[in-house]
């Protein structure tokens, strides 16, 4: 019998006391880490795939097996969906999920193996020169790194957060750990972006979400608000 997914266990009960200082530090510094070669190659492949596309591009960050990428491709048939995950093992399962998709999937979705810390920086440069129109970014069930000492491994407390926002401020984040979204919301506020948090409703869009909901866990979603998007 398959075990139910464990609930978040953490020694941190609220928003991390250092979060504001961490976010402000990265707000006024430059991320100079060299771009990993495999990520550059994946980004070049994404650029080639998009070609001269002038329409909407939706990013599915931490896409895992890419089930959510397929859901997005069905929900936004007139957009191009780019799924990104660092795990080759997870992405190798994407073909299975594509075959199991309940609806026919048009050729508007691709998944790429890359380090998002680098991929976001490369995308931000593309946006700057107006080559990509990133209309939405989804970060569904990222690793929450719930230990207090792991705070800077969370996307909103990482140096890549500034590049993430530079790509698009229309962002949806989901997690089964409410504190993660509360921290993400605070990090957004520090950058002048408003958002709201609510319980997830509707059909699950990732294997994680399906397991969490079937085990009785509450899942949460954060959505940025239109008046917080200055793009």
């Amino acid at each position: 019998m398959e075990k139910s997914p464990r609930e978040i266990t953490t020694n941190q009960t609220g928003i991390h006391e250092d979060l504001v200082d961490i976010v402000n530090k990265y707000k006024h510094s430059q991320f100079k880490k060299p771009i990993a070669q495999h990520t550059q190659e994946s980004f070049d492949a994404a650029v080639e795939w998009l070609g001269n596309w002038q329409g909407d591009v939706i990013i599915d960050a931490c896409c895992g097996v890419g089930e959510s990428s397929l859901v997005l491709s069905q929900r936004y048939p007139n957009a191009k969906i780019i799924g990104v995950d660092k795990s080759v093992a997870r992405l190798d399962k994407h073909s299975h999920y594509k075959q199991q998709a309940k609806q026919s999937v048009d050729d508007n979705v691709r998944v790429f193996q890359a380090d998002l810390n680098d991929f976001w920086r490369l995308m931000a440069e593309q946006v700057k020169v107006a080559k990509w129109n990133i209309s939405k970014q989804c970060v569904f069930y990222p690793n929450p790194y719930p230990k207090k000492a792991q705070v800077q491994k969370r996307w909103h407390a990482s140096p890549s957060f500034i590049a993430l926002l530079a790509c698009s401020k229309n962002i949806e984040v989901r997690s089964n750990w409410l504190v993660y979204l509360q921290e993400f919301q605070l990090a957004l506020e520090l950058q002048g972006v408003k958002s709201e948090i609510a319980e997830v409703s509707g059909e699950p869009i990732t294997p994680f979400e399906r397991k969490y909901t079937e085990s009785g866990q509450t899942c949460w979603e954060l959505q940025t608000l239109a008046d917080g998007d200055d793009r």
Side-chain angles (χ1 to χ4, degrees):
M1 181 180 295
E2 186 176 356
K3 294 182 179 179
S4 298
R6 292 185 299 175
E7 295 190 21
I8 295 292
T9 56
T10 177
N11 58 347
Q12 182 185 321
T13 57
I15 292 175
H16 199 286
E17 63 266 25
D18 295 332
L19 182 65
V20 172
D21 290 339
I22 292 169
V23 174
N24 284 332
K25 177 183 71 173
Y26 290 135
K27 184 177 181 179
H28 301 291
S29 62
Q30 187 176 2
F31 192 17
K32 296 182 179 181
K33 173 180 164 289
I35 301 292
Q37 182 62 31
H38 77 280
T39 297
Q40 183 67 62
E41 291 172 356
S42 290
F43 185 77
D44 292 343
V47 170
E48 182 178 359
W49 176 59
L50 286 181
N52 294 321
W53 176 255
Q54 298 297 310
D56 289 346
V57 177
I58 297 175
I59 305 302
D60 185 15
C62 310
C63 71
V65 297
E67 181 180 1
S68 52
S69 304
L70 296 171
V71 171
L72 290 167
S73 73
Q74 296 162 1
R75 191 173 295 175
Y76 302 98
N78 296 320
K80 296 287 189 181
I81 315 300
I82 293 178
V84 184
D85 199 89
K86 68 178 182 180
S87 170
V88 175
R90 287 192 289 265
L91 290 175
D92 281 346
K93 299 177 182 179
H94 178 66
S95 296
H96 167 77
Y97 281 87
K98 190 169 184 177
Q99 291 172 0
Q100 296 299 316
K102 295 180 180 179
Q103 303 177 29
S104 60
V105 179
D106 203 351
D107 192 33
N108 69 326
V109 56
R110 289 286 189 280
V111 295
F112 299 91
Q113 190 265 328
D115 181 342
L116 274 159
N117 288 288
D118 297 339
F119 206 87
W120 265 314
R121 286 190 286 159
L122 292 168
M123 285 195 297
E125 288 300 314
Q126 285 290 99
V127 170
K128 189 182 299 184
V129 295
K131 290 185 178 180
W132 283 12
N133 175 32
I134 300 177
S135 60
K136 183 179 178 69
Q137 295 193 93
C138 300
V139 189
F140 297 140
Y141 302 93
N143 187 333
Y145 290 107
K147 293 181 180 179
K148 191 174 182 180
Q150 297 174 319
V151 60
Q152 288 183 267
K153 292 185 176 182
R154 303 168 197 164
W155 289 125
H156 49 273
S158 74
S160 59
F161 187 63
I162 301 303
L164 184 161
L165 291 177
C167 294
S168 173
K169 295 185 180 67
N170 181 12
I171 302 168
E172 182 180 352
V173 187
R174 295 191 180 192
S175 178
N176 63 327
W177 190 32
L178 181 57
V179 170
Y180 189 96
L181 297 189
Q182 291 171 334
E183 286 190 348
F184 206 105
Q185 185 173 55
L186 176 57
L188 287 170
E189 288 178 3
L190 293 170
Q191 303 291 341
V193 181
K194 298 179 181 178
S195 64
E196 59 184 9
I197 297 172
E199 288 189 27
V200 171
S201 60
E203 291 294 319
I205 60 174
T206 71
F208 283 122
E209 185 176 310
R210 186 174 299 107
K211 290 180 180 180
Y212 295 147
T213 54
E214 288 177 354
S215 69
Q217 296 186 43
T218 301
C219 294
W220 305 89
E221 63 179 350
L222 173 150
Q223 177 64 59
T224 55
L225 303 176
D227 62 353
D229 191 342
D230 60 9
R231 287 191 63 235

